[in-house]
């Protein structure tokens, strides 16, 4: 016996409100207006808390320094100076620091993808003998504060075990530790666990090896979660301050997150705000471009990716 599923009504309450309010109540004008009003109110509050600081930073970036100090809460500067942005690149040498941040972020991304994808594939698909114990040890590092590992990490990059080279004041001192991220490994492994095992079995029957499984099946199906890991890694690398400050002692190699606090005490405040605004633009653009992949990847739905 077959039953037909009725199509959803056009006036039905949208999810998840339909679980709390019946369609009959939703059609009442008073209920509809109150709920829509709450939606608008929540949206306005979120915009105020999230967008207002960004707008104030942009306003300060195009304002003279004396006006920023005299009228910090004005909605728009009386004298607009868009030249602060270009002047900050030249006078404060922000351009070099931004380029350093790009190099550091790209290297950290490569290290993180190689480590998380390789370790996640090994633990989820290859299943080594002591994989669970290794996975537990990796997850245990999530409980260790980052500041506790600064001294051992510095001693390690100062005398790299097995090679005996000193990586301090090189980009490698930032790139290599970025690959050891337990949270991203957790995301990737959980996503790999959701891929149907029948795909691996069918590929093995056809003679596929481990590398073929990784490159032909796992990676193409894991683009959403890899986008999430990439975005998390890029933003974390872009705003990281303590470790680049310790590992990179040469000012010409330091990223923008280190340069701006160093020059904050001596730089013109208008130019400093312009530098802060320029430093905030790349991560914001990254999130706007990849926000759909972030939502899909965090959801971890592998069923629609076949």
């Amino acid at each position: 016996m077959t039953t037909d599923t009725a199509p959803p009504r056009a006036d039905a309450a949208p999810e998840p409100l339909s679980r709390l309010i019946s369609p009959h109540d939703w059609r009442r004008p008073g209920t509809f207006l109150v709920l829509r009003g709450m939606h608008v109110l929540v949206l306005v509050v979120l915009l105020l808390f999230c967008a207002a600081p960004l707008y104030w930073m942009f306003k300060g970036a195009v304002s003279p320094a004396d006006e920023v100090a005299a009228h910090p809460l004005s909605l728009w500067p009386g004298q607009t100076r868009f030249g602060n942005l270009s002047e900050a690149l030249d006078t404060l040498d922000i351009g070099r620091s931004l380029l350093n941040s790009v190099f550091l972020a790209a290297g950290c991304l490569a290290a993180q993808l190689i480590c998380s994808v390789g370790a996640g594939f090994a633990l989820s698909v290859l299943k080594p003998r002591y994989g669970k114990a290794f996975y537990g040890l990796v997850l245990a590092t999530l409980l260790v504060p980052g500041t506790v590992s600064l001294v051992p990490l510095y001693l390690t990059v100062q005398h790299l075990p097995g090679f005996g080279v000193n990586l301090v004041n090189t980009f490698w001192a930032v790139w290599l530790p970025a690959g050891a991220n337990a949270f991203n490994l957790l995301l990737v492994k959980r996503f790999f666990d959701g891929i149907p095992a029948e795909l691996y079995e069918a590929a093995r029957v056809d003679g596929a090896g481990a590398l073929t499984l990784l490159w032909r099946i796992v990676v193409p199906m894991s683009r959403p979660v890899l986008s999430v890991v990439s975005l998390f890694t890029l933003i974390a690398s872009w705003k990281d301050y303590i470790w680049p400050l310790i590992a990179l002692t040469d000012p010409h190699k330091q990223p923008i997150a280190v340069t701006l606090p160093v020059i904050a005490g001596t730089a013109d405040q208008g130019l400093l705000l312009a530098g802060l605004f320029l430093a905030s633009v790349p991560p914001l653009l990254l999130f706007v471009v990849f926000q759909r992949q972030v939502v899909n990847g965090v959801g971890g739905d592998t069923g629609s990716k076949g």
Side-chain angles (χ1 to χ4, degrees), residues 159-210:
H159 187 79
L160 191 65
F163 296 91
V165 296
N166 186 1
L167 299 180
V168 176
N169 207 28
T170 66
F171 287 162
W172 289 102
V174 180
W175 289 341
L176 294 181
N181 190 302
F183 179 74
N184 287 340
L185 174 59
L186 172 64
L187 289 180
V188 172
K189 181 184 180 301
R190 287 194 60 202
F191 194 93
F192 289 175
D193 290 340
I195 298 178
E198 291 79 6
L199 294 177
Y200 303 136
E201 296 174 0
R204 289 191 177 101
V205 170
D206 293 336

Side-chain angles (χ1 to χ4, degrees), residues 6 36 40 70 145 179 196 210 276:
R36 289 306 183 193
V40 173
L276 290 172

